[in-house]
Amino acid sequence: MVKGSLKLGHPTYVFSRPNSTKTDLLHHFQSLGAIIGNLDEHEKLVSVIKEVDVVISAVAFPQVLDQFKILEAIKVAGNVKRFLPSDFGVEEDKISVLPPFEAALNKKRKIRRAIEEAKIPYTFVSANCFGSYFVNYLLHPSDPKDEITVYGSGEAKFVMNYEEDIGLYTIKVATDPRTCNRTVIYRPSTNILTQHELISKWEAKTGRNFKKIYLLEEEVVALSEKLPEPDNIPVAIMHSLFIKGVTTNYDFSENDVEASTLYPDLKFMTVDDLLDVFLHDPPKPASATFV
């Protein structure tokens, strides 16, 4: 999102917690032209927000409820034209999932309802599965073993988008009057597929044949009940995405809009093209837990 904002020519402020370990990344953003700082108190947060029109939160899951502090600062500042809370995954207002994941989503829902109650202009973003992350997670491209785990039957449809596209589209919708007080869902038709289809595409590109190890739904549910928190959350997420198909199994409401329909001149990278990236210049696997 930082790169997307700079690419589109927006003055871009990047603020992190004082104890952030992302110093190399922050220095990189600074070298690209972003204004870097950290936030440790309400008054400083208010003063920073008074300098901008759009606030995008990308806090990690453990800090989701800390967004109430951002919300309070936005109220005091009184000048923000759009707030995007830290969503970017599944569309939490339309799905029901296993309890460990449901508890995590409830925290995000609390932030959404507080934004609506405060009548702060917003855009809620559902970007669905992060492409590079889940190619690494599902296919393990750097692993020499010819085995791949399939969750459930392998036939549930899911949506997978390249991270750089998610960043760029998010900046576009953050400043688009058509998306104010709406939910934008990133569900391009080119990026909807099943696990079996993803594996087949990878086999065709690599010339390899993979043995599929099926993890049945009842096994995944049992794991989500057995594992302690927070280890049970990723298991519940896998169940929702790849067994229940929660990124594709609902209809859009009148207030929803699909991102790719907004900008005909801008295209999401297809899953086929993303797999080509993994063939020639693969991204490093992410280490963060996904929500």
Side-chain angles (χ1 to χ4, degrees), residues 251-262:
D251 296 324
F252 285 24
S253 71
E254 186 178 341
N255 202 45
D256 302 332
V257 60
E258 201 285 306
S260 65
T261 65
L262 293 169

Side-chain angles (χ1 to χ4, degrees), residues 150-187:
V150 176
Y151 297 87
S153 69
E155 290 300 317
K157 290 187 177 296
F158 62 95
V159 188
M160 189 164 65
N161 298 310
Y162 185 41
E163 286 83 345
E164 289 194 13
D165 291 339
I166 290 170
L168 189 61
Y169 271 87
T170 298
I171 300 302
K172 295 279 282 186
V173 303
T175 55
D176 190 333
R178 297 173 296 174
T179 62
C180 187
N181 295 337
R182 300 183 74 182
T183 299
V184 183
I185 299 167
Y186 299 5
R187 198 199 279 182

Side-chain angles (χ1 to χ4, degrees), residues 15-229:
F15 285 84
S16 64
R17 295 180 300 280
N19 60 350
S20 173
T21 60
K22 307 288 187 180
T23 52
D24 289 345
L25 183 60
L26 292 169
H27 288 152
H28 175 61
F29 289 155
Q30 189 172 33
S31 73
L32 296 176
I35 301 161
I36 306 299
N38 60 60
L39 301 173
D40 55 3
E41 56 188 28
H42 175 73
E43 290 76 13
K44 185 182 287 187
L45 185 55
V46 171
S47 68
V48 167
I49 287 175
K50 285 182 177 180
E51 299 294 321
V52 302
D53 299 309
V54 175
V55 175
I56 301 176
S57 172
V59 298
F61 168 67
Q63 286 80 41
V64 162
L65 294 182
D66 286 351
Q67 291 178 108
F68 280 114
K69 298 175 184 177
I70 300 174
L71 190 56
E72 290 305 312
I74 289 174
K75 291 179 187 177
V76 174
N79 62 293
V80 169
K81 296 177 182 176
R82 197 78 59 89
F83 178 38
L84 280 67
S86 187
D87 289 327
F88 308 115
V90 297
E91 178 36 44
E92 60 252 35
D93 284 337
K94 289 183 168 59
I95 65 173
S96 178
V97 294
L98 292 179
F101 192 20
E102 190 74 24
L105 294 184
N106 276 337
K107 295 180 180 181
K108 293 191 173 188
R109 294 179 185 124
K110 287 180 180 178
I111 298 297
R112 284 190 173 189
R113 303 293 84 82
I115 293 168
E116 293 167 338
E117 185 178 346
K119 300 189 185 310
I120 293 169
Y122 67 83
T123 299
F124 299 149
V125 169
S126 173
N128 292 310
C129 298
F130 283 23
S132 296
Y133 185 97
F134 279 102
V135 167
N136 270 312
Y137 196 95
L138 294 172
L139 298 180
H140 302 284
S142 59
D143 191 336
K145 290 193 299 184
D146 288 326
E147 292 183 354
I148 289 180
T149 299
V150 176
Y151 297 87
S153 69
E155 290 300 317
K157 290 187 177 296
F158 62 95
V159 188
M160 189 164 65
N161 298 310
Y162 185 41
E163 286 83 345
E164 289 194 13
D165 291 339
I166 290 170
L168 189 61
Y169 271 87
T170 298
I171 300 302
K172 295 279 282 186
V173 303
T175 55
D176 190 333
R178 297 173 296 174
T179 62
C180 187
N181 295 337
R182 300 183 74 182
T183 299
V184 183
I185 299 167
Y186 299 5
R187 198 199 279 182
S189 58
T190 55
N191 291 355
I192 300 173
L193 73 170
T194 67
Q195 289 177 85
H196 282 161
E197 289 168 340
L198 179 65
I199 294 167
S200 293
K201 287 177 182 291
W202 189 237
E203 287 178 329
K205 288 181 181 295
T206 60
R208 299 167 66 186
N209 290 308
F210 294 96
K211 178 182 178 182
K212 301 176 185 70
I213 309 297
Y214 288 86
L215 193 58
L216 301 180
E217 180 174 11
E218 52 266 33
E219 296 176 90
V220 178
V221 172
L223 269 176
S224 76
E225 295 169 345
K226 179 181 178 181
L227 290 171
E229 189 179 348

